[in-house]
Amino acid sequence: MITMTLLSILATISFSILYQVPKKAIIPIGVVGMVAWLSYSISLQFSHNVVLASFIGSLIASLLSEAFARFIHMPVVLFAVPGIVVLLPGLLAYSAMKAFVSHQYMTGISMATQTALVAGALASGIAMSGIVAKAIWRKYRVSTPPVR
Amino acid sequence: MERTIRHLASGAGIEPQSVQSFVTPTGIFISMTTPTGTTTKLQRIVGPASLNLAKVSAINDLSRRFERNACTLSEALHELDRIEQAPLLYGYWVRVIAAFLSSGSFTLFFGGTGWDFLFGGIAGLLAEIVLEWLIRYVPSLLAVLMAALVASFIGAGISGFLHVPMQGSIIIGSVIPLLPGMALTNSIRDLLAGDLLSGVARGAEAFLVTGSIAVAVALALDLSIYFH
């Protein structure tokens, strides 16, 4: 568990370097990746449902990204995309491909459907967090007196 | 992008309603109404687009500063030139090492053990080198296909020779950095925001890139099954 958590930080940070992110965003991106992985694996242990766990992981990680984006004044995708990359259904997609090339088309189709569902859950987690964060931010701004 | 144009317009003292912009991945259309008339401009986007989030972040920052009138127009134009000329934040070797580390750690993530880190990392590193070399000469889709082919052939080869128990982990780890995460996310955000054209265009791009990676992996797997 601890090894995987450290690995998720390393994977996220080195992936973000390939995307040329600014230097002061690197540590927050590592934190987002770690939170994504932790919330995914914890919710997987409770629910035993990969799609649900992916959605929860992606939602929590993107909410954190929204917070970082407003705190450091940088676009949200800069934190959210490298942060969520550890949740990508790579093994599922690979198994689907492998089933297809060995002519097990039914297995392949079921795996590919599951891959698409997980990818959809990740995407809707990102999208939903944007809406939630916007609502929270607006409420927060209205309730505080304007700063001059 | 459209928001950036709105920030810039309001910084220049133009009513938000009188500036209309329409941005797609292949062209930018701007129309601006001032007391002296309406100006329109169409800018086609050509050439390979490279992913540089440092630039995106810098331009976003600049447009907000301009909106707050924290800098003048000539300063902003000068800054824009500087951003455009700026070299990549991380040099070639840093990117190659980052590709090694990320592919290696993804290999362990997807069920690899111990030495698989090294093999996955090497496959990912070579994929990155191939990608960066080819993207200068061929369309990016083809470059991704070739890079994914290199990565998955090396992955399948190493797993075949060394009888790695989880053959997939090396292949998956090495192709993960090639996935179009940014295009896919932007596509869904655009679609939800109602920018249907831009969303579908980006979605098509992401779909093609993902498809070419899948084809490369399938080819490598096919060959490895054939040789078994």
Side-chain angles (χ1 to χ4, degrees):
Chain A
M1 185 77 183
I2 291 172
T3 328
M4 288 303 254
T5 310
L6 290 178
L7 267 179
S8 69
I9 301 175
L10 178 65
T12 313
I13 287 180
S14 46
F15 186 79
S16 70
I17 288 175
L18 291 177
Y19 273 12
Q20 300 282 331
V21 303
K23 278 180 184 139
K24 64 177 174 178
I26 282 185
I27 301 294
I29 287 173
V31 174
V32 172
M34 183 187 76
V35 167
W37 167 251
L38 281 178
S39 47
Y40 167 79
S41 48
I42 290 170
S43 46
L44 189 62
Q45 275 179 2
F46 280 109
S47 70
H48 298 289
N49 183 341
V50 183
V51 179
L52 185 66
S54 302
F55 175 73
I56 292 173
S58 146
L59 183 68
I60 293 176
S62 341
L63 278 175
L64 187 64
S65 314
E66 297 270 352
F68 275 132
R70 297 200 151 97
F71 206 64
I72 316 182
H73 297 295
M74 281 179 186
V76 183
V77 282
L78 197 144
F79 300 96
V81 171
I84 278 172
V85 86
V86 289
L87 303 184
L88 284 177
L91 207 54
L92 270 172
Y94 173 82
S95 314
M97 261 1 255
K98 195 169 179 181
F100 278 127
V101 297
S102 47
H103 302 288
Q104 293 164 338
Y105 293 109
M106 292 320 282
T107 319
I109 288 172
S110 91
M111 293 266 186
T113 312
Q114 214 174 343
T115 310
L117 283 177
V118 172
L122 293 180
S124 48
I126 295 185
M128 207 166 279
S129 78
I131 299 163
V132 172
K134 218 167 267 175
I136 294 174
W137 188 247
R138 200 167 291 151
K139 199 173 169 189
Y140 172 75
R141 270 219 289 224
V142 169
S143 61
T144 50
V147 183
R148 303 221 181 262
Chain B
M1 186 66 206
E2 284 161 13
R3 194 183 293 169
T4 306
I5 292 172
R6 228 170 27 239
H7 285 315
L8 287 174
S10 88
I14 302 165
E15 286 289 308
Q17 294 88 359
S18 57
V19 176
Q20 298 289 333
S21 65
F22 181 62
V23 181
T24 71
T26 48
I28 302 173
F29 309 78
I30 303 176
S31 147
M32 195 168 76
T33 308
T34 51
T36 50
T38 301
T39 322
T40 31
K41 166 98 172 125
L42 158 64
Q43 176 72 52
R44 274 211 58 109
I45 302 171
V46 287
S50 65
L51 204 53
N52 190 333
L53 287 178
K55 268 184 192 173
V56 174
S57 173
I59 288 175
N60 184 36
D61 205 43
L62 176 69
S63 75
R64 277 161 202 269
R65 251 188 308 154
F66 188 66
E67 187 186 20
R68 291 198 312 266
N69 290 319
C71 62
T72 64
L73 182 62
S74 63
E75 271 170 15
L77 286 176
H78 192 73
E79 177 80 12
L80 204 58
D81 268 345
R82 203 184 57 76
I83 293 172
E84 200 184 350
Q85 303 289 330
L88 289 175
L89 194 54
Y90 305 101
Y92 184 69
W93 290 108
V94 179
R95 291 202 297 278
V96 167
I97 291 167
F100 176 82
L101 286 178
S102 71
S103 294
S105 32
F106 279 120
T107 303
L108 293 194
F109 231 86
F110 291 115
T113 45
W115 284 102
D116 295 355
F117 182 91
L118 192 66
F119 301 136
I122 289 169
L125 181 150
L126 290 173
E128 172 74 11
I129 289 175
V130 169
L131 181 70
E132 296 220 0
W133 175 62
L134 273 181
I135 212 152
R136 282 179 256 161
Y137 308 109
V138 297
S140 62
L141 200 62
L142 208 60
V144 171
L145 177 70
M146 294 306 290
L149 269 178
V150 166
S152 41
F153 272 107
I154 292 171
I158 290 175
S159 334
F161 272 118
L162 298 176
H163 300 290
V164 175
M166 277 290 294
Q167 184 200 23
S169 57
I170 295 178
I171 300 181
I172 307 165
S174 53
V175 298
I176 281 269
L178 302 172
L179 284 175
M182 200 59 76
L184 195 63
T185 315
N186 282 335
S187 150
I188 287 163
R189 288 172 77 95
D190 281 354
L191 283 175
L192 284 177
D195 292 331
L196 296 181
L197 192 64
S198 171
V200 169
R202 281 183 200 281
E205 186 195 349
F207 181 76
L208 284 175
V209 174
T210 316
S212 64
I213 294 173
V215 166
V217 173
L219 272 174
L221 278 177
D222 228 355
L223 269 184
S224 71
I225 288 171
Y226 183 75
F227 278 115
H228 249 285

